[in-house]
Structure formats: structure tokens, C-alpha cells
Amino acid sequence: MGKVLDEPKYAVVDPAPSASKIVSNFNANDWMIFGGMTAASFPLGYLAGAQRSPAFAKVSGAMGRPSMWMGATLGALAGFMLAYQNSSGRLMGLRPNEDEVRQYGRL
């Protein structure tokens, strides 16, 4: 596990939370970030792949759907990583965490 160089500004609930504890600590805002980034990536991926390019004239029209799914995958990964970062920051006391202190108690 890496070392966090920032001093916690809030109450520390768990100084080294496990991945399962971090994911189970996701709140509604974290799930909205995850879902929102995934949903926004579908049309962006489609638009990126559906554009006509002179260099890829033979395949550019057929790239819309594969690009849409790749964009959604990358958006879901980015959304999950951001939600994971926010949740772990709350558990380690690096972000405001009143709900976590109330739920888990302070260590």
C-alpha cells in the first residue's frame, strides 16, 4: 500500500481501507459520478467514431458502434476511479466525512 503524504484534515475512519470497504462506502454522489460519466461517454464515443475521415474512408462509417462501446468502457472506468478516490478520501480523513464518522465511528 502506498503512503499518503497529506495530513488528514478530518476525522480518520480507516487509515488504510480495503478495496471492498471503499466500494461499499460509495454514497449516492459517488454512484451518480460513476453513472453520469458512463452515460456521457456513450454519445461521445459514438460521435468520435462516426466522423468521416479521409484517411479511414473505408471503415470510418462502421466505427460508430465499436467506438461508442469503447468510449462507454473508458467512461465507466474513469467514473469508477473518481468515485473510488472520493470514497477512500472520506475514509482516510482527506475529504469531509461526517456521514462516515457517524456510520463507522472514529478510530
Side-chain angles (χ1 to χ4, degrees), residues 92-104:
M92 292 188 292
L94 301 172
R95 301 182 62 81
N97 60 356
E98 298 83 20
D99 293 337
E100 285 77 11
V101 170
R102 200 170 24 255
Q103 181 180 357
Y104 295 109

Side-chain angles (χ1 to χ4, degrees), residues 3 16-18 26 28 30 32 40 42 47 52 62 65-66 68-72 79 81 83 86 91 93 97-98 107:
K3 183 175 180 182
S18 65
F26 278 14
D30 294 330
M32 288 190 328
F42 271 102
L47 290 174
R52 298 270 180 208
R65 288 189 5 203
M68 175 184 70
W69 288 108
M70 189 63 207
M81 290 169 56
N86 289 341
L91 288 171
N97 60 356
E98 298 83 20
L107 296 178

Side-chain angles (χ1 to χ4, degrees), residues 19-84:
S20 61
K21 187 170 186 178
I22 292 171
V23 173
S24 68
N25 187 54
F26 278 14
N27 61 18
N29 190 35
D30 294 330
W31 288 111
M32 288 190 328
I33 289 170
F34 181 31
M37 289 187 76
T38 303
S41 299
F42 271 102
L44 292 176
Y46 182 80
L47 290 174
Q51 292 180 354
R52 298 270 180 208
S53 171
F56 301 104
K58 292 182 180 179
V59 297
S60 64
M63 292 301 293
R65 288 189 5 203
S67 295
M68 175 184 70
W69 288 108
M70 189 63 207
T73 302
L74 291 174
L77 180 62
F80 178 79
M81 290 169 56
L82 185 56
Y84 190 92

